[in-house]
Amino acid sequence: MQVAADEPDFGNLQVAITGIPMDLGVTNRPGSRFGPRALRAIERIGPYNHVLATAPVFDLRVADIGDVPFQSRYRLELSHDDIEKRMRQIVDAGVAPLSVGGDHSISHPILKAIGRQQPVGLIHIDAHCDTSGAFDQTKFHHGGPFRNAVLDGALDPTRTIQIGIRGSAEYLWEFSYASGMTVIHAEEISGMGIAAVIAKAKSIVGDGPTYLSFDIDSLDPSFAPGTGTPEVGGLTTREVLELIRGLKGINLVGGDVVEVAPQYDATTNTAHAAAQVLFEILSLMVFSPSVGER
Amino acid sequence: MQVAADEPDFGNLQVAITGIPMDLGVTNRPGSRFGPRALRAIERIGPYNHVLATAPVFDLRVADIGDVPFQSRYRLELSHDDIEKRMRQIVDAGVAPLSVGGDHSISHPILKAIGRQQPVGLIHIDAHCDTSGAFDQTKFHHGGPFRNAVLDGALDPTRTIQIGIRGSAEYLWEFSYASGMTVIHAEEISGMGIAAVIAKAKSIVGDGPTYLSFDIDSLDPSFAPGTGTPEVGGLTTREVLELIRGLKGINLVGGDVVEVAPQYDATTNTAHAAAQVLFEILSLMVFSPSVGER
Amino acid sequence: MQVAADEPDFGNLQVAITGIPMDLGVTNRPGSRFGPRALRAIERIGPYNHVLATAPVFDLRVADIGDVPFQSRYRLELSHDDIEKRMRQIVDAGVAPLSVGGDHSISHPILKAIGRQQPVGLIHIDAHCDTSGAFDQTKFHHGGPFRNAVLDGALDPTRTIQIGIRGSAEYLWEFSYASGMTVIHAEEISGMGIAAVIAKAKSIVGDGPTYLSFDIDSLDPSFAPGTGTPEVGGLTTREVLELIRGLKGINLVGGDVVEVAPQYDATTNTAHAAAQVLFEILSLMVFSPSVGER
Amino acid sequence: MQVAADEPDFGNLQVAITGIPMDLGVTNRPGSRFGPRALRAIERIGPYNHVLATAPVFDLRVADIGDVPFQSRYRLELSHDDIEKRMRQIVDAGVAPLSVGGDHSISHPILKAIGRQQPVGLIHIDAHCDTSGAFDQTKFHHGGPFRNAVLDGALDPTRTIQIGIRGSAEYLWEFSYASGMTVIHAEEISGMGIAAVIAKAKSIVGDGPTYLSFDIDSLDPSFAPGTGTPEVGGLTTREVLELIRGLKGINLVGGDVVEVAPQYDATTNTAHAAAQVLFEILSLMVFSPSVGER
Amino acid sequence: MQVAADEPDFGNLQVAITGIPMDLGVTNRPGSRFGPRALRAIERIGPYNHVLATAPVFDLRVADIGDVPFQSRYRLELSHDDIEKRMRQIVDAGVAPLSVGGDHSISHPILKAIGRQQPVGLIHIDAHCDTSGAFDQTKFHHGGPFRNAVLDGALDPTRTIQIGIRGSAEYLWEFSYASGMTVIHAEEISGMGIAAVIAKAKSIVGDGPTYLSFDIDSLDPSFAPGTGTPEVGGLTTREVLELIRGLKGINLVGGDVVEVAPQYDATTNTAHAAAQVLFEILSLMVFSPSVGER
Amino acid sequence: MQVAADEPDFGNLQVAITGIPMDLGVTNRPGSRFGPRALRAIERIGPYNHVLATAPVFDLRVADIGDVPFQSRYRLELSHDDIEKRMRQIVDAGVAPLSVGGDHSISHPILKAIGRQQPVGLIHIDAHCDTSGAFDQTKFHHGGPFRNAVLDGALDPTRTIQIGIRGSAEYLWEFSYASGMTVIHAEEISGMGIAAVIAKAKSIVGDGPTYLSFDIDSLDPSFAPGTGTPEVGGLTTREVLELIRGLKGINLVGGDVVEVAPQYDATTNTAHAAAQVLFEILSLMVFSPSVGER
């Protein structure tokens, strides 16, 4: 596995793929610290995306720049500092970050770097809203990154849509509603159809800079058992691919794929699905005004 | 695991959750005797059902009263007697039984207790009709509980709907048709849509007392590999959740979730799905005239 | 497991089921050499197909005639010779071959035997077009059987439809388009619906003699993890069953089920799905003019 | 899998291998009903035993005569009757039975058939003595076959040695000591060495007719996880092979290998070890005065 | 699972079994936070230890008092405080603590509580010495508890023996040698024999108060795959049982079983072995002057 | 994974570690083509070998030079040519090759390169002698490399010892005896002890140049399930480590670790054991006159 130097040369990259092997923010089953490793072991993804008609590794200047270097494997908040530092380097170099978690708490320091100048919009595909508050003496756990990002002024809740939400913790996510986020539950999707979800997402985020955060537990556990907090009744891979591909043209400024825990992934289906989604987000970046024009 | 006393105090419960760890009625792969244990190990289900807008463990007086005590682990019919005895205690106390199997043969003694005064209606979600006759010197196997219940006067076949039926044993289930049950095959559901299935189910059972029996093999094996007689081409978890939630308001007097065999459930997805369904049925009970008003 | 004699007596069979335990043509993960063994271990499929209203093992004179005898387990092209020889024996005896792979390269020698007199049509359900050219010093790998069959005059590309195509190798399959095959991608199926796919397939193959080749990787990996080149975003078992059953009445002259690699099939779901599909194809043969009338 | 006719023709066999797929006698995890199937799937055992210098399938007239036909899959005692009936047929034909369980309760009806004329001696390799009394309304469970056989006059306890005993149920097996059996615990074997165990076994059983019963849970669970009642601290495969081979020349009149539960055997190591032990026992039969001279 | 109250009533216990579900100190694979849960799911251990001739749950006043309550699941050092607090309560009540980890870092706060008045001796069975220094900004990781305990004056290194040591990190453990600990490597054990190891251990710890810490990775990974830092070439379960039982009579004041990570324990063999070892340590306590005489 | 250039710069290496991902020579289960990948994924081996007192990656100039480049994944003999070509490059550069298979057939072309000037001696640790003749139209399968090497004049059979032999194919290996090889069966090792095996091995190979070939199936399947032709009754990891370490000082000129098939290695124990053995062989090279003195 690549080991990132302290001062990586992002050269003239348009997109920097970064591993963030940190799962100190989980509430339940750990393991996503090995997510980057699991995705790097998946072969046979790419080069050509025939739906989006791009071969992104040829159409973009993109590279895997290795993992975020951590000062300690034992400190949640310090790890967030390390992530933010690396993300600032990437963003300041004018490069779009595409990250592989790690638990979902990593999206908070990423958004702090990306949304430092102005809050960004968000397309968030997940089983959980991840907008709950402090818990067990910290607010930096994986159940709260988007609340934190809003409160830090890095994320615009009115330009945020959360898709695939389900499970039994709705009462923890009132911040989503209170702050003006749009929430589409998993059970609404059968009736709406993916085309309507796409249309809604596009209308919410508009033309502004937008981040895409994909939690693998948005998929039903039959497609993605290898994760820490599975919820039955989720999306199919075909729905997710249709959804992401339908976002072609949005002004994507970064993205992540998180919560792949290979310990629970006997068939490697989870890592495989995650790698495909990573490829799809990378493909979207070819068509993003913020990325493609550089 | 809880061990039920011989004379449990049902106190003023509205719903009694009972484990029935008995799989002596299987035709093929044993293992569902460990179903209750598998479901009790699942965490992260509940407390809030945001679709049905209830937190059933708060909205109902409900408890896990432990497993049915069996006189012998070697006797199918004697075990049925033990089940019926315990179920009578529950029903006679005015409590709605919600059971976790165990193989599907357990539904027969449960129905005998519930339908003792008058036959009940049935919403039966399964890959198999389970209305076949005697076989291998017994009629009490897991392929026949609903035939037995009709013949015992405990189940009203004209108020019975069987949903998700498939596989290659249709010729064994002529009793379903002969007795007037309504059968919806798995392959019909794509075309009908779940909303139509719900409407049909509601029209069949009407306002009368109704039992809900959920066999985990109604789900496709990709969602629920951990069962004894899997059949490909089954329901998705999202369809099942939509279906059950759509039954809000029916006059539910009891229910069960059966045939979870954890030996074949490498990812625990099967137990997880079963636990979620159990939670959904419990949620329905909040809105059942027979349960909620007590 | 049955061992075929060098000169099997096909007697007056209508359909000969043959195992072809050969995976020397794989590009990636080997293992489908054990596919026939895996399918033979699946029980509980049949006898009755209630959708097609046939019990094919009663309605047809059909038998498992064992595996193709191979001269060597180390020679791809020689194995193809062995397959073609056995298939010629079957076809020359007026028997329809129904084969279980093995990797998809086996379809080439099968088609050479079946299409010797005149090119046949093809319904090809797969994640990959399998029409790419020579590679690694051979054109007989599992990525090219249908290109080879067209070039050998055994397959009519204008009567060929490929269903379920996806993945990232579209650029390898220009032969499909150049030769006039019809390609339906996996992502088109949600929108079209299976009924339209069936109609399209029937219109393409018409009344002429038609072969049905089913690659298990057409299914999404959640349904069929046990295969060598899985691609996320695939078909469901319910879609596949509806699709195949919808072909009732086509002039089927043979079929195969390929690429089941049991090493990657922890739950046996893959072998189970494959055995069900085999049963469905066999059921179709009851209604095929070429088979049923013998 | 072979299906035995009601009246199999044992012809002039010396040894009849019989599957006994019955596990109704288990106290804990079911599954050994699939033991015969699991062993038949193991290949690559034999033909030559270079330690014992025999190729038993050539040196003996031996065949797999299929499974014991059962009247019902639901009746423990009735199944024992079926086993005893088939075993009587075998024994009365002068054939030595070599059986594959199934749970250990099957040894009781087997011994009843073999020891009908005179009680036999026993070499019993197991983690448990299996000499406990009635329980849960039956004495025919898998924890008591050797007590039952002694009380029925079919087994001579003074010519019985039990090897590999351990676990926490010693208090249940006082019958072993009271009746005069010799017990060698697993923890004694490191100190004694296998040679001494062999010598002890030979001195106990002497020249008289002797049965060999091998419970796969005699092996440590690291070698044989696929069983119903594993006990850590067990024998190694190398010890077991040395032990059994060391018995060359004893007057073996029958044997069994029991308690293989493939549901718990992720690597198939358990079935593999069991098949090797079956082969070793068969090899011993070449040198048994009772078998070899026929 | 039991949930411990903040102020549990240790009543007149002699031994308190405590779960410590904390793995924030791991260097590599997390997961042992679920160790207590995994051990509680193991049944069929006990009641009788026939080698030590005791049924410890009858011979001692012992109970599972539940898990250590943690203030946060995100703080390593704070969790150590929580552990030490609970252990002080136990020790101050005159009760011997028997703990189930959790990662090995938990032994440090346990020893701080036990050795507060005077340093204790230690029998430490492990693949690793766990005496390395600060790393990644903390010294409280699972590679250093015994160094920490010595430096805190809670552990007497001259009365410490470490058994089963191996792997490639010997250079990290110079503290063991420098402080006067006795180290027996795994590769020495074949030659020494367990009896000599026992004698050495007894001579090192003498009659003084002694703690026994058992890391499941002392076992070879074939016996215990379910752990975070496996090392090939380890002990067998039979050796470990002989070793621990051979310590009968030492002045045991507490013990632990750590590092069981059920995510990596497909067969549950690891949890099973750990539960057996827990039972053996509990059995030793019957004969400990410090425990038995109370 | 590293990809070797066509003309790698071996610089001034002493040892070149090479992956040989080729399994076209297997007789049974394929999969060892992924052996190099599996070993490269194992971490936590090294740096220090405290028994041999060396940190070989510091004490030697050693590097992983990537995989042998193959012209085709479909040609056994051509692959052997590719292997021999690369091995000649390594040997001609005065570098000792340490290879990771792949199936055991790779040892033949390796030995052809190493023994080109003069035949070498061999320490061969394996369950099988691998000296059988042509089969299925080739002699280059994985059952015959050492016969081939002797007949090619690259291997001196009188300086060859084969350790761990067992299974049922002894009759295929008469070449071992006829040519003067020394064979130590697995069942002899318990009695001899490893020290005697080491002494025997050293006396056979003497001071001359010697190759060490380690087949992972020498280990018992409980230690190494992930291989193509497992045989019960094998060596333990502790025995293997003691054996290899005992060879310190032999004149090692190359080595290999073969037959790791990760598809069958659910726990990764097999790859882990193989990586440890690779490390031990590398450690031996520090002390080899042929390697160390360069």
Side-chain angles (χ1 to χ4, degrees), chain D residues 179-281:
Chain D
S179 66
M181 294 178 179
T182 300
V183 177
I184 299 181
H185 290 89
E187 66 271 9
E188 298 175 70
I189 290 176
S190 306
M192 289 180 72
I194 293 295
V197 176
I198 293 168
K200 186 72 177 177
K202 283 184 159 177
S203 79
I204 294 291
V205 300
D207 296 331
T210 300
Y211 190 78
L212 198 166
S213 186
F214 183 81
D215 188 321
I216 198 72
D217 68 24
S218 58
L219 289 168
D220 189 86
S222 65
F223 296 88
T227 195
T229 50
E231 302 284 356
V232 299
L235 307 184
T236 70
T237 49
R238 224 158 80 199
E239 287 173 335
V240 159
L241 295 183
E242 183 181 350
L243 169 55
I244 296 178
R245 290 163 178 170
L247 300 173
K248 183 175 176 175
I250 64 166
N251 189 355
L252 203 60
V253 294
D256 60 45
V257 176
V258 300
E259 297 284 358
V260 174
Q263 297 88 336
Y264 298 95
D265 193 26
T267 59
T268 74
N269 273 1
T270 311
H272 190 181
Q276 183 73 39
V277 166
L278 190 75
F279 176 73
E280 301 293 335
I281 301 176

Side-chain angles (χ1 to χ4, degrees), chain C residues 75-90:
Chain C
R75 302 281 181 255
L76 173 58
E77 287 81 358
L78 185 62
S79 296
H80 281 197
D81 291 347
D82 292 334
I83 296 167
E84 187 181 351
K85 179 183 167 197
R86 170 55 47 102
M87 286 297 139
R88 282 203 188 192
Q89 293 172 330
I90 294 169

Side-chain angles (χ1 to χ4, degrees), chain F residues 181-263:
Chain F
M181 294 178 178
T182 300
V183 177
I184 298 181
H185 289 89
E187 66 270 11
E188 299 175 69
I189 290 175
S190 306
M192 289 180 72
I194 293 296
V197 176
I198 293 168
K200 186 71 178 177
K202 284 184 160 178
S203 78
I204 294 290
V205 300
D207 295 333
T210 300
Y211 189 78
L212 198 165
S213 185
F214 182 81
D215 187 322
I216 198 73
D217 69 22
S218 59
L219 289 167
D220 190 85
S222 65
F223 296 88
T227 194
T229 51
E231 304 283 355
V232 298
L235 306 184
T236 69
T237 49
R238 224 159 78 198
E239 287 173 335
V240 159
L241 296 183
E242 182 181 352
L243 169 55
I244 295 178
R245 290 163 178 170
L247 300 173
K248 182 176 178 176
I250 64 165
N251 189 354
L252 203 60
V253 293
D256 60 44
V257 176
V258 299
E259 298 283 358
V260 174
Q263 298 88 335

Side-chain angles (χ1 to χ4, degrees), chain A residues 23-31 33-34 71-78 135-138 141 263-264, chain E residues 23-31 33-34 71-78 135-138 141 263-264:
Chain A
D23 63 7
L24 295 172
V26 299
T27 50
N28 190 44
R29 306 194 301 200
R33 68 183 67 179
F34 297 128
Q71 300 175 66
S72 168
R73 69 194 70 182
Y74 303 112
R75 302 281 181 255
L76 174 58
E77 287 81 358
L78 184 62
F135 177 73
D136 261 18
Q137 310 202 358
T138 188
H141 53 74
Q263 298 88 335
Y264 299 95
Chain E
D23 63 7
L24 295 171
V26 299
T27 51
N28 190 44
R29 306 194 302 201
R33 69 183 66 178
F34 297 128
Q71 299 175 65
S72 169
R73 67 194 71 183
Y74 303 112
R75 303 282 182 252
L76 174 56
E77 286 82 357
L78 185 62
F135 177 73
D136 262 16
Q137 310 202 1
T138 188
H141 53 74
Q263 298 88 336
Y264 299 95

Side-chain angles (χ1 to χ4, degrees), chain E residues 105-174:
Chain E
S105 75
I106 67 169
S107 296
H108 178 213
I110 296 172
L111 285 168
K112 283 174 72 177
I114 288 186
R116 193 157 37 131
Q117 308 296 342
Q118 65 168 131
V120 296
L122 174 69
I123 294 171
H124 172 209
I125 306 173
D126 199 335
H128 314 93
C129 285
D130 290 356
T131 50
S132 57
F135 177 73
D136 262 16
Q137 310 202 1
T138 188
K139 67 176 185 182
F140 297 103
H141 53 74
H142 76 158
F146 301 111
R147 176 194 190 103
N148 297 338
V150 169
L151 296 178
D152 285 342
L155 176 63
D156 180 351
T158 66
R159 289 187 55 239
T160 292
I161 184 167
Q162 303 186 301
I163 301 166
I165 306 306
R166 58 194 189 276
S168 308
E170 189 81 11
Y171 62 99
L172 295 173
W173 304 323
E174 56 186 20

Side-chain angles (χ1 to χ4, degrees), chain A residues 68-140:
Chain A
V68 167
F70 288 111
Q71 300 175 66
S72 168
R73 69 194 70 182
Y74 303 112
R75 302 281 181 255
L76 174 58
E77 287 81 358
L78 184 62
S79 296
H80 280 197
D81 291 346
D82 292 333
I83 296 167
E84 187 180 353
K85 179 184 168 198
R86 169 55 46 100
M87 287 296 138
R88 281 202 188 192
Q89 293 172 329
I90 293 170
V91 171
D92 290 352
V95 180
L98 182 51
S99 305
V100 177
D103 71 55
H104 219 153
S105 75
I106 67 169
S107 296
H108 178 213
I110 296 172
L111 284 168
K112 282 173 72 177
I114 288 185
R116 193 156 38 130
Q117 308 297 344
Q118 65 168 131
V120 295
L122 174 69
I123 295 170
H124 173 209
I125 307 172
D126 198 337
H128 313 93
C129 285
D130 290 355
T131 49
S132 56
F135 177 73
D136 261 18
Q137 310 202 358
T138 188
K139 67 177 186 183
F140 297 103

